[in-house]
Amino acid sequence: MRRIATIGVYGFTAAAFVETLTGAGVALLLDLRQRRGVRGPEYSWANSARLQHALAAADIGYRHVKDLAPTTELRQLQYREDDRQGVGKRNRIALAPEYVEHYTREILDPFDLGALVAELPSHSVTALLCVERDPEACHRSLVAARLRAEHGLPVTDLRPG
């Protein structure tokens, strides 16, 4: 049976990230980031080429699903709310309601999740990746919730130890 996991970059080392994925039985990672890089040396392992190399070494497939990434405008909307609340992206705990509304209407609703589900490995876990540590603070939680609601896929959130 197909299963979904969500995972962020923040809080993991490269080794712990791959170990968490393999321990959860992940066979495919879907990168939901618009820009597939993370600033700073601490998370350089999550930049696209390095990440893909590490995943390949662990026999985990990789696919960039840019059509599920938030636009620059949507990210700016969330950043304004973060500023209003005095939080940074790395310690955000929730998405702004306006962001959720716009992301759902502009990105998630028009996307054909059924076609994506049909392409997922049938007897393993597929992980949805973005950068935020907590899924509640990231658009990947919206995708995961839709996959659960409309396609009956069980969802597990993978977090750093």
Side-chain angles (χ1 to χ4, degrees):
M1 177 173 144
R2 290 181 177 104
R3 292 170 286 142
I4 299 296
T6 75
I7 192 165
V9 170
Y10 296 148
F12 282 105
T13 63
F17 182 84
V18 172
E19 184 177 301
T20 299
L21 292 174
T22 57
V26 172
L28 176 64
L29 184 132
L30 301 180
D31 191 337
L32 305 185
R33 301 176 293 174
Q34 181 186 47
R35 297 184 184 131
R36 295 180 290 163
V38 183
R39 290 188 179 156
E42 182 180 4
Y43 295 108
S44 62
W45 59 265
N47 294 336
S48 180
R50 290 178 182 157
L51 177 61
Q52 288 181 61
H53 180 75
L55 293 171
D59 201 27
I60 298 172
Y62 173 91
R63 180 172 163 201
H64 183 214
V65 187
K66 189 173 183 179
D67 289 342
L68 283 174
T71 62
T72 300
E73 294 77 17
L74 280 170
R75 286 196 327 276
Q76 293 300 320
L77 187 157
Q78 181 62 53
Y79 296 156
R80 285 191 300 276
E81 179 64 13
D82 292 346
D83 288 345
R84 191 184 72 73
Q85 292 189 13
V87 299
K89 181 168 75 168
R90 293 189 185 196
N91 56 4
R92 176 189 316 136
I93 58 169
L95 291 169
E98 187 179 6
Y99 174 94
V100 172
E101 175 197 336
H102 283 271
Y103 178 83
T104 300
R105 185 178 68 241
E106 297 168 20
I107 305 292
L108 194 52
D109 287 347
F111 188 86
D112 187 353
L113 278 178
L116 178 70
V117 169
E119 297 173 356
L120 300 180
S122 58
H123 296 291
S124 64
V125 179
T126 297
L128 308 178
L129 167 76
C130 198
V131 295
E132 288 80 8
R133 174 187 172 102
D134 297 315
E136 302 83 8
C138 180
H139 73 287
R140 71 181 185 268
S141 67
L142 304 175
V143 177
R146 179 75 58 95
L147 288 168
R148 181 182 1 224
E150 293 186 358
H151 299 279
L153 298 177
V155 175
T156 303
D157 296 315
L158 304 175
R159 300 175 194 251

